Amino acid sequence: MVLPKNLQGNLMPSEITFLAENELITILPRYSIKKIDLIGTSIPNLRAMRRELVPLWVALILKSQDKCSIVPPKWLTVAYLKERYEDEIRKPLQFSDLPWNWLELSKILLEKAPDDLSDPVDQLRSVIQDLRETRLVKSKKGLKELNESNIQLNGLSLLEINELRPFVIPVMNKLRQLYDTTQSNTINADDQDMEDASDDEDV
Amino acid sequence: MFGDTANKLILDAKRSSNLSAIPIYQSDLVKSIVRETNDLNKDAEYLVEEQEQLQETQDQENSKINQCQLFVTHLSMRRNKRCLLAYEKSRADKITEFCWLNIDPIETSTSSSTTSTNTNSNVNQSSTNNAVNPLTKNLSNYTTSLDMNNLNHHEQDFFKQYQDLIMEFKSSFEDIDLSGDLNPPTNIFIDVRVLKDGGEVTTEYGSFNLIKDSQFFVRKSDVERLIQQGYLEEII
């Protein structure tokens, strides 16, 4: 196929980052910039020290040129993430409520805009790592429940789903195939029984 | 038994499925499989004839045996066909993958003019002569080098025609470089290091000279093709 094997059926981490960069984020511009119309979105008129919503990739370009500071999202604070962590511990059977791209966003922001965050970066990093590890343990436990019909992944983020996908989908497909063949066999056997029964009646 | 040689061919295809180059075409194996299939076909024809005779004489017992023989012969032929097709398909897939990567194939015997498809970066004609064999990059899971001598005649034809097809397809989307890098863009400008001499290169922002181990700060879209060809390396 045109697409190489390793890109078929799964996303690369860089592609997930790319998707996450389309998310809107609030910035505090330091200069005034006129409105720019792009194909997909448009960047509104920026005025110094006036909060504005722009796509993350624009914010990152402006940030790299020191033309804005990024307002971190509400969930990217040590207090909030600690609370989520407690949640994770308290509810061993479900994932706590986090944005679908919390991992990528926090990685990008911690890397590119560490000075704009309200909490110290090292604390944030450690609590994010804790969250990630507990969630990993949970998703690994969840793999024991794999069956041929369905799987429930409420609250998993895109990156976490993506790293499960190459394992979960083939296994579920195999299970489904096994199930289907046994199922059709039993149906055939039933039919046979019915036929036998009708034969008996005829006799 | 029938199908053993075909199995060898399949094992070969499996072995080469993860290689970055296309190994030499197994013409001997393929020939012996085709010979086997021909023999099987002769058997089948003979059996069909006999079947007709048996049907005339109403010999039920022998007719059944004959039918069974015919069936097994057909199955063996079909298995051979399946193995041959799988082998050819695996090679064809690798060739098409290589075509899309946009690297020039290695040609040792014939020094035909390299068909370079770059639009805004032109390596000088003098420099292409001493760099006929492009440095192959180590991309995992990609087919990155292709020796034209390893392909058989039909595959060489297929390769050329597929390249023409790609060119035709790309010309209908002139604004987009369809065979470009598949990684999403990150930075507009990047640092690159020159891995091997390549003469003078012209980009939209003027020209620069490719001297080994020198570094440049350039627009990524200008040098993408040179990175693909292995002249440059991105510094992160």
Side-chain angles (χ1 to χ4, degrees):
Chain A
M1 242 219 270
V2 179
L3 214 54
K5 267 256 161 52
N6 56 334
L7 296 182
Q8 288 172 20
N10 208 2
L11 291 169
M12 283 188 297
S14 56
E15 287 171 318
I16 292 175
T17 315
F18 182 74
L19 290 176
E21 278 180 6
N22 280 329
E23 200 88 332
L24 293 179
I25 197 165
T26 321
I27 58 166
L28 264 178
R30 294 193 187 149
Y31 300 89
S32 300
I33 302 167
K34 275 223 178 92
K35 184 177 172 170
I36 308 170
D37 275 320
L38 303 175
I39 294 176
T41 54
S42 66
I43 304 164
N45 271 325
L46 298 180
R47 284 174 52 199
M49 299 320 281
R50 184 71 63 85
R51 283 176 187 231
E52 208 61 72
L53 270 179
V54 294
L56 181 58
W57 58 271
V58 177
L60 288 177
I61 292 175
L62 291 177
K63 174 77 191 166
S64 72
Q65 296 168 352
D66 258 338
K67 284 186 177 155
C68 80
S69 49
I70 295 174
V71 180
K74 277 199 196 90
W75 53 269
L76 198 60
T77 55
V78 172
Y80 185 87
L81 289 175
K82 274 258 164 64
E83 214 172 280
R84 286 285 87 91
Y85 179 68
E86 303 285 304
D87 258 16
E88 295 283 355
I89 301 284
R90 224 180 311 125
K91 301 171 188 158
L93 289 179
Q94 64 190 67
F95 295 100
S96 64
D97 200 23
L98 279 166
W100 65 275
N101 48 17
W102 66 280
L103 260 172
E104 298 89 280
L105 277 184
S106 55
K107 186 170 180 293
I108 293 169
L109 290 178
L110 283 174
E111 210 170 278
K112 304 260 175 74
D115 49 334
D116 291 339
L117 301 176
S118 48
D119 293 309
V121 175
D122 50 343
Q123 282 182 29
L124 271 172
R125 269 187 209 284
S126 80
V127 71
I128 285 168
Q129 186 67 19
D130 285 348
L131 260 174
R132 176 146 173 70
E133 273 165 22
T134 47
R135 286 163 76 96
L136 259 181
V137 168
K138 273 187 200 174
S139 59
K140 267 183 197 151
K141 264 188 199 154
L143 288 183
K144 278 184 196 155
E145 314 288 323
L146 275 187
N147 60 16
E148 77 287 335
S149 62
N150 61 314
I151 180 170
Q152 196 180 359
L153 306 164
N154 288 11
L156 266 187
S157 75
L158 182 59
L159 196 73
E160 288 162 318
I161 289 175
N162 204 53
E163 60 191 16
L164 286 177
R165 186 166 11 213
F167 174 72
V168 167
I169 288 183
V171 169
M172 278 183 78
N173 272 340
K174 255 293 152 322
L175 283 172
R176 193 167 44 78
Q177 277 171 10
L178 288 172
Y179 180 77
D180 283 354
T181 43
T182 51
Q183 204 64 5
S184 61
N185 273 347
T186 48
I187 288 170
N188 281 345
D190 285 351
D191 284 354
Q192 216 105 62
D193 287 348
M194 296 275 272
E195 271 172 33
D196 287 351
S198 57
D199 281 355
D200 287 347
E201 274 167 26
D202 285 350
V203 169
Chain B
M1 266 306 283
F2 301 125
D4 281 355
T5 32
N7 203 29
K8 269 186 213 160
L9 196 68
I10 292 302
L11 281 179
D12 186 76
K14 185 157 169 49
R15 208 170 27 237
S16 57
S17 66
N18 282 328
L19 292 181
S20 65
I22 302 176
I24 199 156
Y25 186 76
Q26 299 272 3
S27 51
D28 289 346
L29 265 180
V30 171
K31 255 182 216 153
S32 67
I33 293 168
V34 171
R35 213 177 299 129
E36 186 184 292
T37 316
N38 274 334
D39 290 346
L40 283 167
N41 192 33
K42 267 181 211 149
D43 284 358
E45 275 165 10
Y46 169 74
L47 285 167
V48 168
E49 257 173 46
E50 196 164 304
Q51 179 73 20
E52 279 165 6
Q53 281 175 4
L54 283 171
Q55 249 158 14
E56 276 170 27
T57 54
Q58 304 264 317
D59 190 345
Q60 286 281 333
E61 192 75 12
N62 278 334
S63 167
K64 263 189 186 162
I65 295 172
N66 196 287
Q67 274 177 1
C68 186
Q69 265 184 316
L70 192 60
F71 182 61
V72 172
T73 320
H74 268 295
L75 278 186
S76 309
M77 282 200 284
R78 281 182 57 169
R79 178 165 179 83
N80 278 351
K81 177 184 167 189
R82 205 172 142 191
C83 294
L84 282 172
L85 284 177
Y87 179 70
E88 297 290 353
K89 175 85 170 89
S90 76
R91 285 177 73 88
D93 279 348
K94 295 199 120 204
I95 294 171
T96 53
E97 197 181 299
F98 180 82
C99 279
W100 278 101
L101 271 187
N102 215 348
I103 310 170
D104 296 325
I106 305 165
E107 291 192 68
T108 37
S109 54
T110 54
S111 58
S112 65
S113 59
T114 44
T115 51
S116 71
T117 51
N118 44 357
T119 47
N120 50 11
S121 56
N122 278 311
V123 181
N124 265 4
Q125 201 56 46
S126 59
S127 60
T128 39
N129 286 342
N130 56 35
V132 186
N133 289 3
L135 192 98
T136 49
K137 272 185 307 172
N138 281 324
L139 290 166
S140 58
N141 298 318
Y142 280 97
T143 312
T144 47
S145 71
L146 178 83
D147 191 344
M148 285 304 258
N149 295 331
N150 280 355
L151 303 184
N152 78 354
H153 183 66
H154 299 292
E155 284 172 336
Q156 287 178 11
D157 261 5
F158 170 73
F159 175 68
K160 297 237 165 69
Q161 284 174 13
Y162 193 83
Q163 270 187 329
D164 291 346
L165 269 183
I166 291 179
M167 283 294 284
E168 202 178 302
F169 184 59
K170 275 201 287 194
S171 58
S172 45
F173 303 93
E174 269 164 25
D175 296 341
I176 311 166
D177 180 19
L178 287 175
S179 57
D181 197 2
L182 287 175
N183 280 315
T186 45
N187 288 325
I188 303 163
F189 286 94
I190 53 166
D191 273 311
V192 289
R193 182 180 296 133
V194 183
L195 292 177
K196 59 178 180 175
D197 290 327
E200 198 168 282
V201 169
T202 334
T203 66
E204 229 175 282
Y205 281 101
S207 62
F208 55 92
N209 219 347
L210 290 183
I211 301 163
K212 195 168 185 293
D213 294 333
S214 54
Q215 290 187 11
F216 298 104
F217 185 65
V218 286
R219 213 164 65 149
K220 191 171 185 189
S221 53
D222 285 345
V223 295
E224 214 152 54
R225 166 122 174 110
L226 289 168
I227 293 176
Q228 263 184 346
Q229 284 176 324
Y231 283 100
L232 301 177
E233 174 196 46
E234 188 178 345
I235 308 169
I236 305 150

